[in-house]
Each structure stands twice: as structure tokens, then as C-alpha cells.
Amino acid sequence: MVRKVKGIESGVYYYHPTNYALNLILKGDWQNSLAKACFAQMFIADAPLSIVITAEYERTTGKYGERGIRYVHMEAGHVGQNICLQAVALGLGNVPIGAFRDDEVPRVLNLPEERKPLYVFPIGYSG
Ligand SMILES: Cc1cc2nc3c(=O)[nH]c(=O)nc-3n(C[C@H](O)[C@H](O)[C@H](O)COP(=O)(O)O)c2cc1C
């Protein structure tokens, strides 16, 4: 999700890992709605960019059974750590957000039913 970022229209984007592309799925500035869905942690509304890690559990449990749930969470941790490290490397601030409403975040992001939000990373210039 981006807002007021030079060179990219404000909106919600889906990162397509196979072709390294960002696909616009919803136009507009949704940071305020996202902040509210994160139990009104309103500093999120000020961030020009938030990355939301989502999971489609079936893609992993279909292969590894129940144990796949564990793998999904491990992988989300790895991705999240990389986001934190890259933000610091670019001189940007970020905060991992685990406190959010499981029903509200998918509504704000217009996620399909099977895609579950796990982790939110607002990123910006730290003051
Ligand atoms: C899984 C997880 C969820 C977190 N959720 C939130 C959150 O919802 N809101 C928040 O302000 N910080 C959240 N944090 C950030 C922590 O409060 C803390 O700022 C961060 O882990 C760095 O802590 P340290 O600087 O004391 O090491 C979360 C951290 C982790 C690891």
C-alpha cells in the first residue's frame, strides 16, 4: 500500500513474485483505514508505504499438511526480517505490526478470502 510516493500512484498493490511485478488492485490512499484496522495505531496513517505480508495457507499445507502452517509463519518471519534490514540499509524507519483486526485488514486491502494478513510493516522517514 502506497500514498504520495513519487513515481507510483497511491493504492494497494499485489506483489507478484513470479514476474517481480506490482499489480494495482485498489486505487486511493488507504493508510488511514489500515491504521484504524490496526487498533488505531495512527502512526501507520503517516507512513508513505506499508508492506503487508499475507499467506495462502493452502499453498503450503497442500504440500506439507498441518506442518505447513508452521512453515508459513517461519517464512513470514524471514521476509519480515528482510524488510526491516532493507529499510535500515536505506536509512528508513519501520515498525513490525502484529496487532490488527483479522477481519478488518482484508476488507481494507480487498483481499480474496483465502489470502490472510500476517504482518504489517509501515515504512517511512523516522523523525
Ligand atoms: C511479532 C511482533 C509484533 C509487533 N507488533 C507491534 C504492534 O502492533 N505495534 C507496535 O507499535 N509495535 C509492534 N511490534 C514492535 C515492538 O513493539 C518493538 O518495537 C520491536 O520489536 C523492537 O523492539 P526493541 O527496540 O525493544 O528491540 C511488534 C514486534 C513484533 C516482533
Side-chain angles (χ1 to χ4, degrees):
M1 175 180 292
V2 296
R3 60 185 277 273
K4 296 182 192 158
V5 175
K6 211 186 278 177
I8 185 165
E9 187 177 0
S10 295
V12 177
Y13 291 79
Y14 176 70
Y15 175 65
H16 222 284
T18 42
N19 53 3
Y20 311 106
L22 284 176
N23 294 342
L24 181 64
I25 56 173
L26 204 58
K27 286 185 184 182
D29 179 354
W30 298 97
Q31 287 286 103
N32 202 55
S33 306
L34 180 64
K36 285 183 185 160
C38 295
F39 296 107
Q41 299 186 73
M42 295 315 289
F43 59 88
I44 296 168
D46 296 332
L49 162 74
S50 288
I51 298 175
V52 181
I53 299 178
T54 61
E56 289 179 34
Y57 285 96
E58 174 58 30
R59 287 167 61 173
T60 311
T61 55
K63 193 169 179 187
Y64 301 108
E66 282 298 291
R67 199 172 180 83
I69 296 170
R70 184 191 303 211
Y71 294 160
V72 167
H73 295 163
M74 287 172 168
E75 196 166 355
H78 295 163
V79 173
Q81 186 70 65
N82 282 331
I83 291 170
C84 293
L85 290 170
Q86 189 59 43
V88 171
L90 294 170
L92 298 169
N94 78 95
V95 186
I97 301 289
F100 55 80
R101 289 188 50 153
D102 292 335
D103 55 344
E104 273 298 308
V105 171
R107 202 183 56 75
V108 172
L109 301 178
N110 200 24
L111 297 179
E113 174 61 26
E114 68 279 10
R115 199 169 294 156
K116 307 295 183 192
L118 294 180
Y119 225 170
V120 178
F121 292 84
I123 297 169
Y125 297 100
S126 48

